[in-house]
Amino acid sequence: MAVKDAVRERGQFSSRFGFITAATGSAVGLGNIWGFPTQTASHGGGAFVLVYLVLAFLLAYPALMAELIIGRHTRSNMVSALPQLTTSPMLKIVGRATGLFGVVTASLILSFYAIVASWLMVQVPAALADIGGQGPAENWLNQPSLLRDSLFCGLFSLLTAGIVARGVTAGIERWSTRLMPALVLLILGLVGTVLTLPGAMEGLRLYLIPNFNLLTGPSLLTSAMGQAFFSLSLGVGTMLVYGSYVSKADNLPLTGAYVALIDTGIAFLAGLLIIPAMFVAQQRGIEIYNSDNTLIAGPDLILQTLPSLFNSLGFAGAFIGLIFFLLLTIAALTSSISMLEVPVTFVLEKFKISRYHATWLVASIIFSLSLLILNNFDQLFTGVIRLTTTYSQPLLGVMLCVFAGWVLHRNKLLSEISKGFAGAKTSLFWKIWPSYIRFICPLLIILMFVQNTRS
Ligand code: TRP
């Protein structure tokens, strides 16, 4: 009875499927559909894909498991989870500080992610205005302005908060299970359409055939690692908090593997869409290279090159554009709810206020941060992204590995993994993972960090 009450109070995903859709919903986002294909394009196509796949499973998956295990073991938010793993007062302080750092980082990531998401979301009504022949409205929606961006960022934040305020099952899980299948269908439909257009095969070749000459240079490795980390939502406690809602009857290593596999699969699919689409655009006379001969990759790709392609395809293009931006909006939304959940769980458990109040309070603060960034765009935007993704995320990643590998007692670790996984003790996972998370993961992350901050 006591266990049931505790579950009811904190919330728990209703099934393994529910958790997998929510966690893949978090993982699959702009990082997959935008980041992965463009990183691939600028790092030698198929060669990057190979390196990424190896790193996703050798580095990101073990780190994901660290978060899920700590989360389910402590059934707690990011700030009170780590201190629970130790009896040492000193380590408790370090754990709490790490947790707070995670909560702040998650909030900052959301503050810029919501801005990027709103640029994509606004394209949905713009495409509708185009289809409906509403020229002036379409022009206004297509023209970046502080008013437009603030309004749509507000709308996106409202949607995010609206889902999180409903709670784990009625909000996060329900909306993830509605939106994720839609996302998979939309992306499959788009890949199928784009691959039939002239020029697509050239893109496909670049994407799939590795050019090992481009494999040299440390930047490829660090880019692939950073990409894998961002894509699996690691470091800031997102997966820790989602892990805290997983049933003790679930096989955690297997469930985590599904999440990593689906996340990587969808990133791969997105590459099958974006890279060929660029070469279709080139066939139609649209510039796809920068002046230094690298493929266009940043916001220009998504907000100019691809829309020009859709325009050049006439009426059908407007529909393709509509579906493309709907896809991006859905991907961003299921990710943003997982970011918001990190500070919300902390605030509601720490201050013992209702989820409803905690959500709207935290969402308002983060939206104010987004507005601050929008109003001081040149000074803040790239700075906040760099601070959070290049510095905070890897540092936090190391701390989480250290807490899972060195602080959490080995017997407790094994007993947590054994829940829902009877053969854990003799499994390959248990033979490899503990030393991995102690030595290899922190070392690799530190290497990536040093490399990234020097460049
Ligand atoms: N993984 C998501 C993407 O690929 C973004 C994301 C969600 C995230 N939660 C996160 C990134 C926490 C870093 C930390 O777009």
Side-chain angles (χ1 to χ4, degrees), residues 26-27 29-32 109 113 230-231 233-234 236 238 335 338-339 393:
S26 164
L30 304 181
N32 300 57
I109 292 182
Y113 201 84
F230 190 83
S231 189
S233 312
L234 296 179
V236 303
T238 300
S335 297
S338 75
M339 294 175 198
Q393 243 190 314

Side-chain angles (χ1 to χ4, degrees), residues 218-219 222-223 386 390-391 448-455:
S219 88
T222 56
S223 302
R386 194 168 159 78
T390 312
Y391 292 89
M448 159 177 100
F449 180 75
V450 172
Q451 186 52 252
N452 260 344
T453 47
R454 273 201 330 208
S455 57

Side-chain angles (χ1 to χ4, degrees), residues 59-61 63-64 67 228-237 239 393:
L59 176 76
Y61 168 68
L64 168 69
E67 286 202 35
F229 243 69
F230 190 83
S231 189
L232 272 178
S233 312
L234 296 179
V236 303
M239 289 300 181
Q393 243 190 314

Side-chain angles (χ1 to χ4, degrees), residues 398-416:
V398 172
M399 292 307 287
L400 285 164
C401 291
V402 167
F403 268 85
W406 296 90
V407 178
L408 180 55
H409 196 276
R410 228 179 125 85
N411 296 342
K412 285 193 178 156
L413 207 53
L414 180 60
S415 105
E416 186 57 48

